[in-house]
Amino acid sequence: MQAEREGALNTEETTHRVKPASVTRIEPRIGPLTRIRELLRYRELLGNLIRKELKVKYKNSALGFAWSLLNPLLYLVIFSIVLQEFLGAGLPAFPFYLLTGLLAWNLLSNGLAGATGSIVSNSNLVSKVYFPREILPAASIGAAVVHYVLQLFVLVAAMLLFGWFRHWDQGMVLLPLALLVQLVLLVGLALLMSSANVYMRDVQHLLELALLAWFWMTPIVYASGWVQQNLMNKSPLMWAVYLQNPMAPIVMGYQRALYARPELRAGDAHVLVNAPLEWYAKRLGWTGLVAVAILMVGWTAFRRLETRMAEEL
């Protein structure tokens, strides 16, 4: 009996000591402002990741950052030959026109492509260490911005060297505005695509096709003035629909700032959209509102999807 009582007591004590382990699920439910402050606290990590992206890309490369200039130069040679020599496009200073839009497009395509795969490619980091996951797509965008700034300096230097600066006027104020709107748009799309790519890897392949179609819907290799004239002759509604592409007003803003004034003509048509500076600023303003809406949608989706990213990876 004594042994049975001791056994019962031991079983009771063991049961008392070994309680079922409680599982606490920690989910980020902090507000946007708190999240922004948290992101600012991790700005040093962001800088390190941007430097890492740049170093890895040009590791053991003899030319280094010079390679970032070869891509637009190759486009420049190909399109100059095809459009000017074979098709007779005849745009004044076509290399400057092309590069003004192409560099902006490369900022979008390179930043978005890098950001979309950033979380998957850093799966080891995501599953082991806590940090705001937004840092990863932001680092890819930061590296793309560094490339864009370097290429833009080269373009501006070439314009100064060949005397094209005589076409600059107060339209230069559109340059920072276009860049700001584009970055807001890029961050919003990057957050949306990078989080979706964790759950559906087809997203990064679909993005390549979408970028190809998007490129030709944007006035980079053809004159925006020609598009305006042709579409307005058919239907003003078609011109209004064309402007709903957010990259179209952004590229037009860059072209108005760096390339030329609206009076510049190629044959019977204007090269740029024949409109006052206020029209360009207003179109960028509307596009900026759309970009902010995309940013809010993208960030909301990212924060909802990030809770299970480590499990999916």
Side-chain angles (χ1 to χ4, degrees):
M1 291 295 291
Q2 180 66 25
E4 291 179 357
R5 282 199 295 272
E6 288 179 354
L9 287 173
N10 290 337
T11 303
E12 185 179 351
E13 288 176 0
T14 302
T15 305
H16 180 72
R17 286 198 303 269
V18 184
K19 293 181 179 178
S22 60
V23 177
T24 303
R25 187 181 182 85
I26 302 175
E27 295 183 351
R29 287 288 184 266
I30 59 178
L33 292 179
T34 306
R35 187 65 162 192
I36 291 174
R37 284 195 290 269
E38 189 179 33
L39 288 169
L40 291 175
R41 285 201 301 272
Y42 281 85
R43 60 185 180 277
E44 187 175 351
L45 174 62
L46 175 61
N48 290 334
L49 288 175
I50 292 175
R51 283 191 287 272
K52 175 197 161 193
E53 291 244 351
L54 296 173
K55 286 180 179 177
V56 168
K57 188 169 184 177
Y58 299 110
K59 186 178 181 181
N60 298 327
S61 168
L63 297 181
F65 282 103
W67 284 110
S68 66
L69 303 177
L70 293 181
N71 179 277
L73 286 177
L74 181 61
Y75 272 91
L76 179 63
V77 171
I78 292 174
F79 285 120
S80 295
I81 295 174
V82 173
L83 292 181
Q84 287 204 307
E85 301 300 330
F86 294 159
L87 300 181
L91 290 181
F94 179 72
F96 292 153
Y97 177 84
L98 175 65
L99 281 182
T100 301
L102 186 61
L103 296 188
W105 177 259
N106 285 346
L107 170 60
L108 177 86
S109 60
N110 293 339
L112 192 53
T116 298
S118 61
I119 297 178
V120 174
S121 60
N122 289 283
S123 57
N124 291 336
L125 197 60
V126 172
S127 58
K128 293 178 181 176
V129 183
Y130 173 76
F131 60 93
R133 306 308 189 210
E134 294 93 330
I135 293 288
L136 292 175
S140 298
I141 294 173
V145 170
V146 171
H147 285 125
Y148 174 74
V149 171
L150 289 174
Q151 294 169 348
L152 185 63
F153 275 129
V154 174
L155 174 61
V156 171
M159 287 178 164
L160 291 171
L161 182 64
F162 289 97
W164 193 253
F165 59 88
R166 66 182 183 277
H167 293 280
W168 295 349
D169 60 359
Q170 66 272 22
M172 290 289 288
V173 299
L174 295 176
L175 180 61
L177 180 59
L179 180 59
L180 176 63
V181 172
Q182 184 177 5
L183 288 179
V184 174
L185 174 68
L186 177 54
V187 172
L189 292 174
L191 291 175
L192 189 61
M193 302 294 282
S194 60
S195 56
N197 189 54
V198 174
Y199 299 88
M200 296 177 291
R201 304 298 167 82
D202 292 335
V203 170
Q204 57 189 358
H205 304 294
L206 181 63
L207 177 65
E208 296 176 5
L209 297 178
L211 286 174
L212 179 62
W214 199 358
F215 176 82
W216 289 103
M217 293 165 59
T218 306
I220 297 172
V221 298
Y222 52 85
S224 53
W226 295 354
V227 179
Q228 180 197 26
Q229 180 175 309
N230 291 330
L231 294 184
M232 287 292 286
N233 289 337
K234 295 177 181 176
S235 169
L237 179 61
M238 294 180 66
W239 173 238
V241 171
Y242 182 82
L243 292 176
Q244 301 313 305
N245 168 15
M247 277 304 290
I250 290 172
V251 169
M252 290 175 190
Y254 283 117
Q255 291 167 345
R256 177 66 182 85
L258 290 173
Y259 176 66
R261 302 169 188 168
E263 298 81 18
L264 189 67
R265 303 179 70 93
D268 297 332
H270 293 275
V271 177
L272 303 183
V273 174
N274 187 22
L277 184 61
E278 291 76 14
W279 182 88
Y280 287 89
K282 187 180 294 184
R283 293 308 312 179
L284 282 174
W286 281 112
T287 306
L289 293 177
V290 173
V292 170
I294 292 175
L295 175 61
M296 293 177 66
V297 171
W299 197 20
T300 302
F302 188 95
R303 297 187 65 196
R304 287 183 180 277
L305 294 175
E306 72 171 337
T307 56
R308 292 181 51 247
M309 281 181 180
E311 300 172 16
E312 290 292 329
L313 293 172

